[in-house]
Amino acid sequence: MPSSKSMLLFMCFVFGSLMQSMKAQDPSKLTLDYYTKTCPHAQQIVRTEMECFVRAEPRNAAIMLRLHFHDCFVQGCDGSVLLDDTATLIGEKQAEQNVNSLKGFDLVDKIKEKLEAECPGVVTCADLLAIAARDAVELVGGPYWDVPVGRLDSKTASLDLANTDIPTAQQGLLTLISKFWAKGLSATDMVALVGSHTIGFARCANYRDRIYGDFEQTSKYNPSSETYLSKVKETCPLDGGDDNISAMDYATPAAFDNAFYEQLIKGEGLLNSDQEMWSSVVGSQTADLVNKYWADPGLFFKQFSDSMVKMGNITNPEGGEVRTNCRFVNT
């Protein structure tokens, strides 16, 4: 039996770790009116640019949403995902879940250029991503939510954390839940946030194992599922074609809706990580949420909005700056 002193020390350690975690996720400095006086047109500038981007290419909505997600899962929502490699800094763009797949950096540059022209040195790149992600969702039919702002841009990045903390397509349900939990996000948040795959596309390299693995088993060899499977196999052969892409919601790939969850219920999830939420033997809670979000799109939209705000409130305790160029720390 451990001594009472040891137990006290352990409890102090746990409490200290919890407080540090709470500090990292403390949203108290974020407000809705942060730029009201310093850059009153900031959100409208982001919105105008996003309207142009999505009109030109609907996939840009998913691209910007994914950037925000990958940013928040590494060091908090601090714009670290946008940093280029330099002689003195290793960025996150070459991480396993980012290289060859994370895009939209040129779109961020264009929005930042407009913001700097209007309000030099005021609006952070981290806030830019949070606002653009919200606009991206709404522009393709999804919900609107108020975005608290006031984040700072980090002066560092972490390739190691990007490789370990961002969920991957091959991981099982318990691993996925633990990765979200580590960021202060629940299983409910996870199932709702993964619903963003309704407008997402996946690289063949990330779903090959799934379609040549247990896809037929989870879809119960349904003839309509077999037709879909044949089509994605044409896009993603056993060898080669790693960068070929397929929609994760084949029914309405350009619309933010709840059709993605029906695909999981049919056993047709393109990514193993997605299908796990419905088919895993330990997934009774997540399967119940999948059912609820498919049955009630309003419930899905409400939870998605709440979970996006919650994820967006994960801040970097190290603080930071307002970058003038999102790709580089200020000199």
Side-chain angles (χ1 to χ4, degrees), residues 22-34:
M22 290 173 65
K23 177 184 177 184
Q25 298 164 21
D26 180 11
S28 60
K29 73 173 184 178
L30 305 182
T31 64
L32 298 178
D33 60 356
Y34 189 84

Side-chain angles (χ1 to χ4, degrees), residues 81-303:
V81 71
L82 303 173
L83 290 169
D84 283 350
D85 290 351
T86 68
T88 57
L89 183 146
I90 298 176
E92 299 162 11
K93 294 180 179 179
Q94 296 302 308
E96 179 185 358
Q97 293 304 300
N98 294 341
V99 67
N100 298 323
S101 64
L102 208 58
K103 305 180 186 302
F105 302 108
D106 57 328
L107 307 183
V108 173
D109 292 340
K110 291 175 183 177
I111 298 174
K112 181 61 171 173
E113 184 179 341
K114 296 284 186 178
L115 289 169
E116 286 297 305
E118 176 80 9
C119 318
V122 173
V123 182
T124 63
C125 302
D127 279 343
L128 182 166
L129 284 180
I131 298 167
R134 186 271 314 280
D135 291 343
V137 169
E138 192 188 19
L139 286 167
V140 290
Y144 173 92
W145 62 92
D146 291 321
V147 178
V149 288
R151 301 165 187 80
L152 291 174
D153 295 326
S154 68
K155 298 180 182 181
T156 62
S158 177
L159 181 63
D160 288 341
L161 288 179
N163 277 323
T164 59
D165 288 11
I166 299 173
T168 73
Q170 290 77 29
Q171 288 172 331
L173 184 62
L174 294 180
T175 298
L176 295 168
I177 290 174
S178 69
K179 286 195 171 187
F180 277 78
W181 182 85
K183 305 301 175 184
L185 300 169
S186 66
T188 299
D189 295 315
M190 181 189 76
V191 178
L193 290 171
V194 173
S196 63
H197 287 175
T198 184
I199 56 170
F201 285 74
R203 294 173 63 237
C204 167
N206 287 327
Y207 65 83
R208 179 183 285 115
D209 288 348
R210 162 77 174 136
I211 63 173
Y212 291 99
D214 68 349
F215 185 98
E216 289 181 299
Q217 180 181 347
T218 62
S219 61
K220 304 186 188 308
Y221 301 91
N222 186 294
S224 64
S225 300
E226 292 290 328
T227 301
Y228 167 60
L229 179 60
S230 295
K231 183 177 293 187
V232 291
K233 281 184 174 180
E234 289 176 7
T235 303
C236 183
L238 267 172
D239 296 303
D242 283 4
D243 291 328
N244 295 346
I245 59 173
S246 293
M248 287 184 270
D249 170 6
Y250 64 79
T252 54
F256 194 100
D257 56 24
N258 65 336
F260 166 77
Y261 295 110
E262 182 186 25
Q263 202 165 317
L264 301 186
I265 292 170
K266 291 180 177 178
E268 297 175 348
L270 188 62
L271 300 182
N272 177 72
S273 54
D274 291 347
Q275 191 59 48
E276 279 278 292
M277 297 191 302
W278 172 258
S279 300
S280 173
V281 295
V282 294
S284 60
Q285 178 190 4
T286 55
D288 182 55
L289 290 165
V290 169
N291 260 327
K292 288 179 178 178
Y293 296 155
W294 165 235
D296 188 345
L299 177 65
F300 165 49
F301 276 22
K302 174 64 167 60
Q303 186 59 58

Side-chain angles (χ1 to χ4, degrees), residues 26-86:
D26 180 11
S28 60
K29 73 173 184 178
L30 305 182
T31 64
L32 298 178
D33 60 356
Y34 189 84
Y35 295 117
T36 299
K37 294 182 179 179
T38 56
C39 194
H41 300 121
Q43 297 216 21
Q44 185 55 52
I45 290 170
V46 176
R47 174 71 178 210
T48 299
E49 293 303 298
M50 284 303 301
E51 287 175 351
C52 293
F53 298 154
V54 174
R55 189 181 306 117
E57 172 52 78
R59 280 188 58 212
N60 283 332
I63 285 170
M64 293 301 286
L65 181 57
R66 189 163 184 253
L67 268 179
H68 179 49
F69 181 92
H70 282 228
D71 183 36
C72 292
F73 260 66
V74 182
Q75 299 187 164
C77 311
D78 62 358
S80 62
V81 71
L82 303 173
L83 290 169
D84 283 350
D85 290 351
T86 68

